[in-house]
Amino acid sequence: MTTICEEDRALVLESYNSCKDQFPLIIADMLKRFVEQYPDARRIFSWGKTDDYETNIRYKQHSIKIGSVIAECMASIQRIESLQSKLEDIGDLHNKKNVQLEYYKKMGVCLNEALQSHFGDKWSDRLDKAWSMAYDTITIFMLQRFWIGKF
């Protein structure tokens, strides 16, 4: 069960491959946007309680972790289902830390904003939709056990 079609998978893979060398910077931009746009969300992070979070080593480490997971997913988007168990485990961790459901979508919006900033004029509505669908697929896998436990 996924939400992303083959055409979107191919588009995401092609665009990811074109930016993978810059992906850690894109993810850092995404996380910074998230923290700045949703300051209430900072409380869920151990490093979020300080104003100088950008210099905090835990902030940098978390950015690297987020980036490596998203990068792995995008590099493997053609077979994203193979990462389902890993993503469910990550979702379990987020659930234990009481990450609110709304933050998943907000982080996806910030990812697309960071990608749009990186790609500039090359960014399109089509790319935006494809990356949104890819991120939503990751989120579905992360939340699968959470939702099963609710019903």
Side-chain angles (χ1 to χ4, degrees):
M1 176 228 17
T2 61
T3 60
I4 186 166
C5 69
E6 291 303 317
E7 183 181 344
D8 286 345
R9 289 176 195 236
L11 189 57
V12 166
L13 182 60
E14 178 184 346
S15 58
Y16 169 74
N17 283 334
S18 75
C19 72
K20 66 182 171 186
D21 292 340
Q22 297 296 310
F23 208 66
L25 297 174
I26 294 168
I27 295 299
D29 183 21
M30 173 199 72
L31 189 55
K32 183 176 182 184
R33 287 169 187 268
F34 180 76
V35 170
E36 289 177 355
Q37 291 176 27
Y38 310 104
D40 59 313
R42 285 177 50 182
R43 65 175 177 70
I44 63 175
F45 301 108
S46 61
W47 45 261
K49 295 160 186 67
T50 62
D51 288 333
D52 61 343
Y53 63 89
E54 286 186 88
T55 60
N56 187 302
I57 189 68
R58 287 183 154 176
Y59 171 83
K60 292 176 183 177
Q61 290 170 338
H62 196 73
S63 180
I64 291 167
K65 283 181 187 177
I66 292 171
S68 67
V69 170
I70 296 174
E72 181 180 9
C73 290
M74 297 312 163
S76 304
I77 196 68
Q78 299 290 19
R79 56 186 197 293
I80 189 72
E81 296 81 5
S82 67
L83 298 175
Q84 182 172 347
S85 180
K86 178 180 183 170
L87 292 170
E88 288 175 352
D89 291 345
I90 294 168
D92 288 346
L93 178 64
H94 283 75
N95 188 33
K96 288 176 186 168
K97 294 189 178 270
N98 295 314
V99 175
Q100 296 176 15
L101 294 177
E102 67 189 73
Y103 292 149
Y104 289 89
K105 188 67 175 170
K106 290 176 178 181
M107 188 70 80
V109 169
C110 292
L111 174 60
N112 277 26
E113 289 173 355
L115 287 162
Q116 181 178 8
S117 178
H118 172 80
F119 281 103
D121 292 343
K122 294 178 184 175
W123 191 252
S124 65
D125 290 342
R126 187 75 188 98
L127 266 176
D128 190 78
K129 177 189 171 285
W131 275 87
S132 292
M133 295 303 288
Y135 184 85
D136 288 351
T137 300
I138 293 169
T139 302
I140 288 167
F141 287 148
M142 287 178 67
L143 294 174
Q144 195 148 356
R145 288 186 197 147
F146 172 80
W147 285 116
I148 290 171
K150 296 290 181 188
F151 299 102

